[in-house]
Amino acid sequence: MSQTVDRALSILPLLAEGPANLEQVASRLGVHKSTALRLLRTLHEHGIVYRQQDQRYRLGARLFALAQQAVESLDIREIAHPHLVALNEKCGHTVHLAVYEDDEVLYIDKVESRYPVRMYSRIGKPVAITVAAVAKLLLADLPEPERRAVAGRLDYPAYTSRSTPDATAFLQELAAVRERGWATDFGGHEESINCVGAPVRGPDGRVVAACSVSAPNVVVSSDELLALLPLLRRTADAISAEYSGISIPATISPTKAMP
């Protein structure tokens, strides 16, 4: 029975490459065509594969529906939380997880700093979307037309002298974030708070969340915080891997050498 299951599952990667006929499937599996046909019929009955009019087989809609259902049942916060706690234990600073929903970037998890100086961020509270590192990561991954549309309808409050002044500057920053694969907020929202962020990706490689490490400059300098980027990225990659269940390609380019 286990050999039958193994053979049936081996058909799926083949069909993921494109439609294949019975002879091609049998050849790939190294079995007689009658055996391949029996496996294909079983998969077809369950909607996992579909037989086209040209008698070639392709992956069936049922398989994609199951995959989508599995993804939707995943709770990114539940998966990420142990990783965020571990990151906090290693660095000691405030750790956030954020997502983009309905034109807002929201914190969905937070692990407090071990230091007495605390941040006022709260779970469920929108972030300062034009300056926050997590917001830059989430918006940078949007398709360009959507990215431009979002940037065009945002307001650009002057929280500090380092705040993003307008849509043009924001789009330039998002392009830089998309290129290097990480983001910062060095005093853009609060003069005394620095932050560095990294993306969490889903099975398709798109950014589904962003995590960050934040700290007051009286505790750690921006350069010292930036030195934590490799640890932060490893954490984000670990969350991505567990969320996706696979090794995923990045749609945001790999990290360049830090200045």
Side-chain angles (χ1 to χ4, degrees):
M1 179 63 70
S2 61
Q3 186 181 44
T4 301
V5 173
D6 182 70
R7 285 173 172 170
L9 292 176
S10 296
I11 292 173
L12 303 184
L14 168 62
L15 299 186
E17 298 172 5
N21 59 32
L22 177 60
E23 185 176 352
Q24 290 170 318
V25 173
S27 177
R28 175 69 70 90
L29 297 182
V31 299
H32 192 274
K33 285 194 291 186
S34 62
T35 300
L37 180 60
R38 185 170 63 253
L39 295 171
L40 286 166
R41 281 177 173 171
T42 300
L43 292 172
H44 182 269
E45 288 172 2
H46 289 275
I48 303 302
V49 305
Y50 177 79
R51 189 175 66 179
Q52 304 177 157
Q53 289 186 348
D54 62 3
Q55 305 305 308
R56 293 189 302 165
Y57 293 83
R58 61 170 172 80
L59 295 179
R62 177 61 176 162
L63 180 63
F64 296 105
L66 289 171
Q68 183 62 32
Q69 184 178 353
V71 169
E72 291 175 353
S73 70
L74 293 174
D75 183 341
I76 187 64
R77 182 181 183 275
E78 182 179 353
I79 291 171
H81 187 73
H83 297 278
L84 303 181
V85 170
L87 175 61
N88 170 267
E89 290 174 348
K90 291 175 182 176
C91 71
H93 305 305
T94 301
V95 176
H96 288 109
L97 183 72
V99 296
Y100 179 59
E101 292 182 352
D102 299 326
D103 282 349
E104 288 187 323
V105 175
L106 305 171
Y107 290 127
I108 60 171
D109 203 0
K110 177 183 180 182
V111 185
E112 292 282 4
S113 167
R114 73 164 68 107
Y115 298 98
V117 181
R118 299 295 178 91
M119 296 182 60
Y120 292 105
S121 56
R122 297 193 306 273
I123 295 175
K125 180 180 178 180
V127 311
I129 196 169
T130 59
V131 293
V134 289
K136 294 172 187 177
L137 286 159
L138 290 160
L139 297 184
D141 193 59
L142 295 176
E144 183 176 359
E146 186 177 354
R147 199 161 66 240
R148 290 187 173 278
V150 171
R153 62 177 176 259
L154 289 175
D155 294 324
Y156 293 85
Y159 300 108
T160 75
S161 60
R162 297 184 180 182
S163 298
T164 308
D166 52 40
T168 299
F170 191 50
L171 286 169
Q172 290 174 346
E173 175 66 9
L174 294 185
V177 168
R178 188 177 180 88
E179 171 68 18
R180 68 178 180 244
W182 48 274
T184 62
D185 170 16
F186 290 158
H189 187 220
E190 298 178 62
E191 290 278 7
S192 61
I193 301 294
N194 295 318
C195 177
V196 59
V200 175
R201 301 184 178 89
D204 59 358
R206 301 301 301 274
V207 175
V208 296
C211 57
S212 65
V213 175
S214 304
N217 55 25
V218 295
V219 174
V220 62
S221 70
S222 58
D223 286 342
E224 290 170 323
L225 192 65
L226 196 58
L228 296 172
L229 181 59
L231 175 61
L232 174 62
R233 284 186 63 90
R234 287 196 296 271
T235 299
D237 289 346
I239 298 170
S240 300
E242 185 170 343
Y243 182 73
S244 302
I246 55 175
S247 297
I248 55 176
T251 54
I252 290 182
S253 302
T255 305
K256 289 186 172 181
M258 289 185 292

